[in-house]
């Protein structure tokens, strides 16, 4: 076990011992390679550098109550990575390579998995990019797939306390028929200006309005939005948001807890009617939203009066994290036990 102050971990980069790489060249994928270097050597004309041929994933491994290590829904991340690959014409990563890379990187860095009870987890960051040279705009002939890890704590410094978010209409992170539904680096580049301004203005993240009509909630920073109202779990359906695996899981949990799930356009005008709201994602887990400011009108909608997470956010959070840490029965079969750790 590494000498790390586990309870003070934030969501950030911590150097670990190994990462895994696999190269696609001459029409096929090579063998997995283990590396202890944090650096990659990239051709200066790589399409990943010039034309944004790059996608990534994020998933977590948890040290459970029983000492076992659980990797949460990796197959969904694999499928999404390949949808991203398809969306920007990169080579898909075979399932066995994705799985073996994830298992190997956890095994080799097992001393970096935060102990049970600290609230931390091991974040896996798979990435895939065009590494072959092109100067004309076209897909590369060569690709690099790699996975590194970092032990992490909460994404928002508030942890499981309500955060403030800001609705923006003067920036779009994604276009209606663009790449918002896949996890490509360009979406994050497009979100930086709004996000940094939101931070400067005292908010944890921006809530992007849909870029076509500006009437509906799209993405909540690096997470999906959900609201609770009249026994319903309501979450946006939009072609320009990332289909979150956490949200997909919470929809099943919500139903199991007796909520009715609605996945549909969610108007910004509905916000004052929500009893609770949250942002959900692998990094954010569930981040309750206590206040939403509409930057354009200056209106502020209060969703938590006492500075605490509401009852439904708490139940959803306890159920989801309970499954991840092996405290609650994994009846959906979401967790894969990692061997040799
Ligand atoms: N939306 C965006 C823009 C994200 O970056 C993420 C993080 O992956 C999510 C939503 C949440 O997705 P997931 O729950 O699969 O991590
Ligand atoms: C995640 O939740 O895994 C993310 O990718 C969010 C962010 C760190 C980009």
């Amino acid at each position: 076990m590494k000498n790390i102050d586990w309870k003070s971990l934030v969501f950030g980069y911590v150097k670990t011992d190994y990462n895994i790489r696999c190269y696609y060249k001459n029409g096929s994928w090579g063998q997995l390679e283990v590396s202890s270097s944090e650096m990659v050597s990239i051709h200066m004309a790589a399409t990943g550098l010039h034309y944004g041929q790059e996608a990534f994933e994020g998933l977590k491994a948890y040290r459970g109550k029983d000492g076992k290590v659980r990797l949460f829904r990796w197959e969904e991340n694999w499928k999404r990575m390949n949808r991203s690959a398809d969306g920007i014409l990169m080579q898909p990563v075979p399932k066995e390579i994705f799985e073996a890379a994830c298992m190997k990187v956890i095994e080799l860095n097992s001393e970096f998995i935060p102990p049970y009870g600290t609230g931390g987890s091991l974040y896996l960051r798979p990435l895939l990019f065009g590494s072959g040279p092109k100067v004309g705009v076209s897909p590369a002939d060569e690709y690099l797939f790699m996975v590194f890890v970092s032990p992490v704590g909460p994404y928002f410094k508030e942890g499981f306390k309500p955060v403030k978010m800001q609705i923006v209409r003067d920036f779009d992170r994604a276009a209606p028929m663009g790449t918002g539904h896949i996890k490509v680096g360009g979406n994050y580049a497009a979100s930086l200006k709004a996000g940094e301004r939101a931070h400067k203005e005292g908010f944890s993240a921006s809530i992007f309005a849909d870029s076509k009509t500006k009437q509906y909630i799209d993405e909540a920073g690096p997470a999906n939005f959900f609201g609770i109202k009249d026994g319903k779990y309501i979450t946006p359906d939009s072609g320009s948001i990332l289909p979150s695996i956490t949200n997909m899981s919470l929809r099943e949990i919500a139903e199991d807890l007796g909520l009715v799930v609605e996945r549909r356009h969610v108007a910004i005008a509905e916000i004052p009617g929500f009893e609770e709201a949250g942002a959900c994602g692998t990094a954010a887990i569930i981040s309750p939203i206590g206040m939403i400011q509409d930057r354009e009108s200056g209106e502020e909608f209060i969703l938590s009066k006492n500075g605490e997470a509401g009852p439904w956010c708490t139940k959803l959070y306890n159920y989801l994290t309970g499954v991840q840490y092996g405290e609650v029965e994994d009846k959906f079969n979401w967790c894969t036990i990692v061997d040799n750790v």
Side-chain angles (χ1 to χ4, degrees), residues 80 173 183 188 219 221-224 242 244-246 280-282:
R80 191 171 64 191
R173 80 175 263 290
K183 204 164 166 64
Y188 297 81
E219 198 78 277
N224 280 182
L242 191 75
S244 154
I245 296 159
T246 311
C280 62
T282 299

Side-chain angles (χ1 to χ4, degrees), residues 207-211 213-218 265-268 270:
I207 294 181
F208 289 93
D210 79 286
S211 43
T213 71
K214 310 272 172 179
Q215 308 269 329
Y216 300 100
I217 298 176
D218 241 26
H265 286 347
V266 180
I268 290 168
E270 275 186 66

Side-chain angles (χ1 to χ4, degrees), residues 64-81:
K65 196 176 178 184
D66 52 5
K68 292 183 181 159
V69 174
R70 290 170 173 77
L71 182 61
F72 192 69
R73 304 197 79 171
W74 67 267
E75 276 184 87
E76 295 299 329
N77 293 89
W78 165 70
K79 287 187 213 158
R80 191 171 64 191
M81 169 156 266

Side-chain angles (χ1 to χ4, degrees), residues 16 18-22 32-33 35 57 59 81 97-106 109 123-128 144-149:
T16 59
Y18 300 102
N19 55 81
I20 309 291
R21 303 164 185 215
C22 191
L32 289 190
E33 294 174 20
S35 172
E57 273 302 326
L59 65 167
M81 169 156 266
I97 291 182
F98 189 92
E99 180 180 18
C102 290
M103 297 305 162
K104 192 85 195 154
V105 80
I106 298 170
N109 293 295
Y123 184 71
L124 277 69
R125 173 53 65 86
L127 61 146
L128 172 67
L144 172 56
F145 167 63
M146 55 188 298
V147 188
F148 69 83
V149 294

